[in-house]
């Protein structure tokens, strides 16, 4: 019954997308007509124009310091919030609702607004940037963390519950270790989103890569813009490959089947003598000695072959490598925190001016444009639905092809991961301008830009959640000789389904909020009003708009939570 | 791999285990009164545990037998407060299941060791850390990583691993262990609690005869040394006969047999598994009659675990 | 909007008007509705208003013939024109009837700071600008500083992100001195209660920055272009539009202005001069 | 609940099963040549399967015995091409494991039924749909939802469920089944493939004696009817003795025993599990000697599965 209504709700969403698609008069013909405009535009991005090396390096380090600090801040805030928000770890319905609400609030308020607010609290400087980026990031990180926690297998946790372990103990010992790969991957994913979002740092007096990028675009310096985008792309590649390496070591055995390699020539050495001639399928029947040898081996292996009893693992290569990584990461975080201007005095100043600043935003007001706000909210919803539908159509297959446990060939998966990463690295504004050039200013270019942009996020989320499914059942279907796509539909998808649907609704919510982008390209919508109200210092209107967006986002979030519960 | 640890003495054909552990006459450790668990509602609902009432005295070693799906796992999880009963009540170690609040349940669970049928290890953690988590109930605060456990706990966990023959695998990731190895880790984890009551759900299902016997011997020894009460679902009737004081048989969620192992013969117990259609209800009923009075354990009637090397002869009881 | 092209030019059914609302408007209410009605009546076409905040998007839309009329800042016009977009001026906004189009940039510091009394004194201080695309918050100030003999290396440059942020940062002491446009300092922030009258002192005023222009695409048919220019210059003002009943009272102000006045391309040479002086990236033609 | 389905005839004390399934003299179904699997590298690496060479003829029913961790599961998964061998090679149903490419492996797997030790059901799907997925290899195109399977497949899946006594649970979610029920679903799924070779990893570990016997009877019957070759890891020596033609014993990844069940006695097989320390290496060696020639099955020497109701007497062979 619940399943039926959940399916109906999802179907309604998809039809909403189709309807919006039609209502916005999105059609392929107009697209292809003006495609040469886009080609012409893109040709103006060449040759690339890089900033001088020294300047570039300092830009990178400055940006990286703030972005790393902001991401760490978001992780630190998100872990407890997510544990309160996840169905299986929350202490109660009240706490769950409150923390979900808080997470959604962080998401509903764009970084720009956080930046404007944080500027009034902390003044100019890196600290403000860290807070603005970090707090806004909680909206995504907290949500994905909560999802990851809900996704964990309940068995081990029940086992610890049965030992009388407390809630927190159960969580640290059974839930977090299971969710760890996902937590790390999400943090790194957010890191590269924040790298690009660092344009907002321009609002707080910090020059960084993102800001240099947006400045380059607004001054029509596309050669510089694409050069910086390329630098960002490389940084994202680094983040992605680190996250990939971590996923691989942490997830181990994700791939259903390792392709048999041709056997290497044996180096048997000592045991050669046991197989005279080496051709006959010699059973170890060659005598008592053979069996004895075998059993002796068993004994020595069973007892570890070593006499030292240790209660901590040996310092083998793996442990050394892991520890080195850990130390390096901690060092980077500390250096970043220092570089980004974290200090007690700014914190104190922040504490003093927090509430007065909050006062500027209250009570909410409409600035005399209440009707227009509602109309714009409607437009925004339309664009978001259409954009998400486009994203769905593009990202589902791409994300699926990028999951290593689905396609089997690591090379194919890596190729599609790269495609997704490339899409994510294209500056959104450039994407938007391309569509403006193709379709003109307005909702259509907004929806298209959102749709294509969705591939970067949704594709990755889909690929990740497919890779995280329990490999066991998939192995079982592989063992029946099922083809890859059959294994996918028979086992991987049913298991990942709640997560995929969750991500889809999350994308809708992201697109709804990306309305600021739409405002930029003249699509109208609530995002434009929000930016404009902030620009002309009408903070009560900002509050109203944030509340309106919040209501919509909460609605989607509620739908997502419910759907996940039904399909859990 | 994993030849049994040297602590187990397999040389003697029938290692006595629970020998001489008299059931003390104190308050029952478990007292169930019409305990019932129903899954689902309406026509499709299923009575997994149906009006179960029995008592278990301190020090008793009880085997829970029954067909697949007869409600053994569900009953055990009710006893640990992991699921709430639909109706009826039970008192375990002095705690009333249906009335206990969260902290009382936690305190109760701290005193009960539980071995899950599906092991439920944390796959990504090392074997040793998995065993250490068994001590969480007696530690304060959350733990993250092997290093966060006190050295004493780690040492004790290593001892436990040695006892189940897995010391060499201490630092292997739990999800790369073989089925039987995982099961033994689960046993070691439960024993880390130093429990007063052990609930074990088919703790030797995935084990070869030698490892099974080794684990059962271990449980029997611990039971005797620490005056532990044990309730253990099993599929091996011979093991149950030789090892337990008492057998409780379930069928479709109901207790249909409750007998002392002393003096009962294998055939009688096997009737528990007989087809219903075969009209053998009376047989089972007869068996139930045998066990209708909870047997006060004679001090000299211990179960013993057959050593693996023994041929079928070992399946006869006695030591 | 690119349907109906003939050899004489495009004659679209719908006119697309792209607008970048200026930051010194104080109202959020329907700023362009009366103008849309006017254009509709005067050209007989459907009119679609597209508000955007990205200069780049609007300029590229014009270049690709996806926008027919643009309302934007002086610098945007200069960049568009000089980068080869086919546009011509059809007027610039003025705050009152008969006024000269334009506004000024202020160099500001705290009233209490005794040692800063001119741009030359900015040397050695932390100076707040708005952002590198701002005419009044960056471009003109740069030119002013250069003229006063202050080179980029002589002070610490901070981008505050907005005119308000720049002014407030000066007030709070985050910056020793800074720049913002005139009304932000003189009235907007004071009305908001964020600044007290006399808290900041103005130590420099820029030359007049030409007003925000309206530019029409020259690939439209000549007659259509003429209709549009006429509409802007003779009827595009609060008085006319109110008389026609398109609007009433304050609702007739266009983005906070009374209406349009005639301007020539050479009026924007001052912007070009400043660009030449500063050789700033934002003046580049973007290709 | 889940009383065994009426199809199983438990009334007869010893249901004949593999009786009269002569091993055909054709090409071996399995031929292994120094098959080796090593996990990890360096000092910590572990030889899970160590230089294993043997042959299995068509129609043979082989039990794989060994201590926990001796490499049974690893060997089975190598045979199904689920893991790649580190060295050595094997030919299964004519396909060379180390040389086969992806599509060849898939074609091979389609002909091999595999029952996993950990069941590996898709928890969120219904029991029936899980069984249906067993037919995927022989269907074209992806399937999503029970309705997407042809009616014939669903009917066959239902039959399979009936045979393992779970017809009543067809529409229950797989993850709410009891352990033993899940195991039987896994068996039904493997049989859906109508395989030529069945690899079963402890398919009755979680089952009570009655259900175990029922499942083994089923496998034996299918083996006989369809000329199926079976390689099945087991922990129940008696079951192995009564049901298989041949026993292969593993120890630390090595084959240390390979004997025909005909004429071997339980004690000999039990030596497989003996402690190494006890100096019994010769015993095992002796056992190995017994099995040195692969036994051509005499047509009249079938294994039989004891029915549950039978007492220990049933563990003697014959029918
Ligand atoms: N992925 C892996 N990485 C490291 N070691 C592994 C891995 N898989 C298995 N092993 C080790 O290989 C050995 C053989 O395991 P396997 O699962 O084949 O044993 P088994 O005979 O099936 O045992 P059981 O009867 O307990 O299921 C064990 O010691 C196990 O710990
Ligand atoms: N969450 C659940 N929802 C619905 N039915 C359930 C649920 N859990 C268990 N059952 C059903 O309850 C019955 C008893 O299950 P239980 O796991 O207690 O059996 P068991 O005696 O442990 O069997 P086994 O020996 O196979 O492990 C089974 O028929 C099972 O399908
Ligand atoms: Mg069970
Ligand atoms: Mg195994
Ligand atoms: O409106 P400005 O370009 O002067 O910031």
């Amino acid at each position: 019954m619940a399943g039926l209504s959940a399916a109906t709700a999802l179907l309604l969403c998809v039809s909403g997308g189709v309807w919006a698609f039609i209502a916005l008069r999105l059609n392929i013909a107009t697209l292809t007509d003006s495609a040469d405009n886009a080609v012409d535009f893109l040709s103006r991005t060449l040759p690339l124009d890089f900033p001088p090396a020294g300047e570039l390096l300092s830009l990178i380090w400055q940006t990286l310091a703030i972005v790393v600090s902001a991401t760490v801040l978001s992780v630190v805030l998100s872990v407890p919030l997510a544990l309160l928000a996840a169905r299986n770890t929350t202490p109660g319905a009240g706490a769950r609702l409150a923390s979900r609400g808080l997470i959604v609030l962080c998401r509903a308020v764009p970084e720009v607004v956080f930046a404007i607010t944080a500027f009034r609290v902390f003044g100019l400087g890196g600290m403000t940037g860290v807070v603005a980026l970090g707090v806004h990031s909680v909206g995504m990180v907290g949500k994905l963390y909560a999802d990851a926690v809900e996704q964990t297998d309940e068995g081990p946790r029940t086992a610890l519950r049965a030992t009388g372990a407390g809630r927190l103990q159960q969580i640290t010992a059974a839930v977090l270790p299971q969710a760890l790969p996902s937590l790390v991957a999400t943090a790194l994913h957010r890191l590269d989103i924040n790298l690009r979002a660092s344009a907002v740092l321009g609002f707080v007096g910090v020059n960084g890569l993102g800001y240099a990028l947006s400045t380059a675009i607004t001054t029509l310096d596309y050669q510089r813009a694409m050069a910086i985008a390329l630098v960002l792309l490389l940084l994202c590649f680094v983040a992605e490959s680190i996250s990939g390496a971590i996923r691989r070591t942490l997830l181990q055995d994700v791939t259903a089947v390792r392709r048999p390699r041709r056997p290497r020539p044996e180096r048997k050495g000592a045991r050669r003598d046991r197989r005279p001639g080496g051709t006959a399928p010699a059973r170890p029947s060659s005598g008592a000695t053979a069996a004895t040898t075998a059993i002796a081996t068993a004994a020595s292996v069973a007892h570890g072959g070593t006499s030292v009893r240790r209660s901590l693992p040996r310092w083998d290569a793996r442990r050394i490598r892991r520890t080195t990584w850990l130390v390096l990461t901690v060092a980077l975080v500390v250096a970043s925190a220092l570089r980004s201007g974290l200090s007690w005095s700014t914190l104190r100043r922040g504490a003093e001016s927090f509430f007065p600043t909050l006062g500027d935003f209250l009570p909410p007001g409409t600035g005399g444009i209440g009707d227009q706000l509602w109309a714009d909210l409607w437009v925004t919803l339309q664009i978001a639905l259409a954009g998400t539908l486009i994203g769905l159509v593009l990202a589902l297959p791409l994300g699926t092809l990028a999951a290593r446990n689905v396609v089997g060939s690591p090379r194919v998966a890596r190729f599609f991961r790269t495609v997704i990463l490339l899409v994510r690295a294209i500056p959104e504004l450039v994407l938007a301008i391309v569509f403006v050039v193709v379709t003109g200013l307005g909702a259509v270019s907004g929806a298209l830009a959102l749709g294509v942009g969705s591939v970067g996020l949704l594709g990755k989320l889909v690929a990740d959640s497919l890779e995280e499914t329990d490999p066991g059942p998939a192995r079982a279907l592989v063992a029946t000789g099922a083809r890859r796509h059959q294994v996918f539909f028979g086992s991987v998808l049913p298991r990942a389904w709640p997560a995929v649907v969750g991500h889809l609704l999350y994308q809708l919510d992201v697109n709804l909020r990306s309305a600021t982008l739409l405002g930029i390209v003249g699509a109208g919508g609530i995002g434009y009003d929000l930016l404009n109200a902030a620009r002309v210092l009408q903070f009560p209107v900002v509050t109203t708009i944030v509340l309106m967006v919040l209501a919509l986002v909460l609605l989607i979030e509620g739908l997502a939570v419910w759907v996940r519960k039904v399909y859990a | 791999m994993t030849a049994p640890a040297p602590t187990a003495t397999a040389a003697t054909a029938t290692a006595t285990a629970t020998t001489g552990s008299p059931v003390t006459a104190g308050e029952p450790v478990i007292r169930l009164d019409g305990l019932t668990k129903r899954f689902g509602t309406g026509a499709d609902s299923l009575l997994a545990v149906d009006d179960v009432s029995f008592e278990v005295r301190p020090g008793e070693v009880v085997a829970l037998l029954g067909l697949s799906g007869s409600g053994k796992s569900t009953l055990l999880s009710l006893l640990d407060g992991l699921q709430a009963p639909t109706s009826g009540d039970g008192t375990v170690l002095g705690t009333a299941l249906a009335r206990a609040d969260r902290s009382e349940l936690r305190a109760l669970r701290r005193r009960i060791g539980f071995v899950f049928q599906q092991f439920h290890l944390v796959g990504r953690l090392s074997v040793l850390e998995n065993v250490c988590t068994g001590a969480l109930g007696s530690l304060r605060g959350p733990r993250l990583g092997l290093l966060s456990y006190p050295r004493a706990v780690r040492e004790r966990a290593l001892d436990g691993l040695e006892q189940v023959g897995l010391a060499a695998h201490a630092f292997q990731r739990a999800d790369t262990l073989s089925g039987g190895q995982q099961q033994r880790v689960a046993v070691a984890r439960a024993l880390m609690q130093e429990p007063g009551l052990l609930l074990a759900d088919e703790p030797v299902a995935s084990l070869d005869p030698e490892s099974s016997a080794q684990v059962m011997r271990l449980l029997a020894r611990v039971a005797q040394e620490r005056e532990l009460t044990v309730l253990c679902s099993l599929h091996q009737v011979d093991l149950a006969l030789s090892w337990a004081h008492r057998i409780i048989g379930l069928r479709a969620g109901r207790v249909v047999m409750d007998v002392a192992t002393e003096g009962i013969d294998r055939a009688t117990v096997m009737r528990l598994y007989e087809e219903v259609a075969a009209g053998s209800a009376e047989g089972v009923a007869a068996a139930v009659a045998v066990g209708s009075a909870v047997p006060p354990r004679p001090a000299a009637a211990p179960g013993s675990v057959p050593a693996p090397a023994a041929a079928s002869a070992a399946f006869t009881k006695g030591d | 909007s690119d349907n109906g092209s003939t050899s004489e030019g495009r004659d679209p059914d719908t006119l697309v008007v792209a607008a970048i609302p200026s930051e010194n408007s104080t109202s959020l209410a329907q700023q362009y509705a009366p103008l849309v009605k006017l254009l509709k009546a005067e050209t007989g076409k459907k009119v679609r208003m597209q508000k955007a905040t990205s200069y780049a998007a609007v300029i590229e839309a014009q270049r690709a013939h996806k926008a027919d009329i643009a309302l934007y800042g002086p610098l945007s016009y200069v960049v568009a024109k000089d980068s080869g977009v086919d546009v011509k001026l059809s007027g610039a906004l003025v705050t009152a009837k008969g006024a000269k189009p334009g506004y000024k940039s202020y160099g500001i510091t705290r009233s209490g700071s005794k040692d800063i009394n001119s741009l030359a004194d900015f040397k050695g201080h932390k100076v707040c600008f708005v952002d590198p695309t701002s005419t009044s918050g960056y471009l003109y100030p740069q030119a002013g500083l250069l003229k006063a003999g202050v080179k980029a290396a002589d002070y610490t440059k901070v981008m505050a992100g907005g005119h308000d942020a720049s002014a407030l940062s000066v007030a709070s002491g985050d910056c020793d001195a800074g720049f913002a446009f005139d009304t932000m300092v003189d009235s907007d922030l004071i009305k908001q209660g964020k600044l007290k009258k006399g808290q900041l002192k103005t130590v420099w005023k820029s030359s007049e920055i030409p007003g925000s222009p309206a530019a029409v695409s020259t690939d439209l048919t000549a007659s259509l272009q003429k209709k549009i220019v006429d509409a802007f210059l003779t009827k595009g003002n609060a008085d006319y539009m109110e008389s026609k009943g398109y609007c009433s009272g304050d609702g007739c102000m266009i983005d906070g202005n009374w209406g349009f006045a005639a301007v020539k391309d050479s009026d924007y040479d001052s912007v070009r001069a400043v660009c030449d002086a500063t050789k700033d990236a934002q003046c580049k033609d973007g290709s």
Side-chain angles (χ1 to χ4, degrees), chain A residues 321-340:
Chain A
R321 200 164 54 233
R322 276 230 299 265
T323 311
T324 313
W325 272 108
L326 198 69
V327 169
L328 284 178
T329 310
V330 171
L332 176 68
V333 168
V334 171
S336 300
L338 293 177
R339 176 70 181 80
S340 62

Side-chain angles (χ1 to χ4, degrees), chain A residues 105-120:
Chain A
L105 181 68
C106 290
R107 214 153 69 222
V109 180
E111 295 114 328
V112 193
V113 175
F114 273 123
I116 291 169
T117 318
F119 155 72
R120 282 172 166 70

Side-chain angles (χ1 to χ4, degrees), chain C residues 120-172:
Chain C
D121 299 336
F122 280 21
K123 226 179 244 183
H125 288 288
K126 201 167 159 191
V127 181
C128 267
F129 298 87
V130 175
D131 72 63
T133 61
S134 170
T135 319
S136 59
Y138 185 72
L139 191 65
Y140 273 64
Q142 286 278 299
L145 284 167
L146 279 174
K147 214 163 136 197
V150 183
K151 287 188 288 296
D154 296 337
Y155 55 90
T156 314
K157 178 162 45 175
V158 175
M159 292 296 168
H163 291 267
D164 60 326
S166 178
L168 290 176
S169 298
V170 173
S172 72

Side-chain angles (χ1 to χ4, degrees), chain B residues 136-161:
Chain B
L136 277 176
S138 59
L139 294 173
R140 248 165 227 280
R143 307 283 151 167
L144 204 59
L146 200 47
L147 264 173
S148 65
Y149 289 91
R151 194 190 171 85
V153 169
R154 279 177 295 167
E155 290 291 342
R156 210 147 54 72
L158 265 182
D159 290 343
L161 278 179

Side-chain angles (χ1 to χ4, degrees), chain A residues 325-415:
Chain A
W325 272 108
L326 198 69
V327 169
L328 284 178
T329 310
V330 171
L332 176 68
V333 168
V334 171
S336 300
L338 293 177
R339 176 70 181 80
S340 62
L342 191 74
S343 77
W344 279 118
S345 59
T346 35
L347 281 178
R348 203 156 348 103
R349 176 173 163 184
E352 281 160 16
S353 46
F354 180 72
F355 286 103
T357 303
L358 210 59
D360 288 351
F361 288 82
L362 297 170
T366 57
I369 54 166
D371 292 347
Q372 189 194 331
L373 290 184
W374 285 113
D376 284 347
L377 189 67
W378 182 242
V379 173
T380 301
L381 184 63
Q382 252 186 348
I383 297 171
L385 280 171
T388 309
L389 183 69
I390 298 170
L392 172 73
V393 169
L394 295 175
L396 268 194
L398 278 176
T400 306
L401 289 170
R404 284 190 309 143
N405 55 338
V406 177
V407 292
S409 153
R411 211 168 321 130
V412 174
R414 211 173 315 124
F415 171 77

Side-chain angles (χ1 to χ4, degrees), chain B residues 101-119:
Chain B
D101 64 16
R102 200 136 50 85
S103 74
E104 284 167 344
L105 275 182
R106 169 144 22 107
L108 171 64
R109 289 195 200 110
R110 210 165 285 161
R111 296 156 64 205
I112 304 179
F114 200 106
V115 181
F116 286 84
Q117 187 171 10
Q118 335 272 21
F119 326 148

Side-chain angles (χ1 to χ4, degrees), chain A residues 34 44 119-120 123-124 202-203 205 211 217-220 222 349 360 369 437-438 441 519-520 522 528 535 537-538, chain C residues 18 21 25-26 28-29 50-54 56 60 63 66 131-133 159-160 164 168-169 174 192 194 282 286:
Chain A
S34 313
R44 281 194 287 141
F119 155 72
R120 282 172 166 70
L124 292 175
F203 282 85
Y211 191 50
I217 295 174
T218 48
T219 56
L220 312 196
Y222 304 119
R349 176 173 163 184
D360 288 351
I369 54 166
V437 163
V438 173
L441 294 161
I520 285 172
Y528 166 79
R535 261 161 48 116
L537 314 184
Q538 299 256 5
Chain C
S25 68
T26 46
L28 288 171
Q50 299 288 359
K51 284 179 284 184
T53 57
S54 163
E60 295 306 334
R63 199 193 307 277
K66 301 285 181 187
D131 72 63
T133 61
M159 292 296 168
D164 60 326
L168 290 176
S169 298
D174 274 342
Q192 286 263 324
K194 291 281 116 188
Q282 60 169 331

Side-chain angles (χ1 to χ4, degrees), chain A residues 271 283-284 295 298 314 476 478-481 483 486 489 494 567-568:
Chain A
R271 278 205 299 281
R283 233 169 276 107
I295 288 164
R314 244 197 309 272
V478 168
T480 68
R483 288 169 200 81
Q486 292 176 321
F489 284 104
Y567 288 121

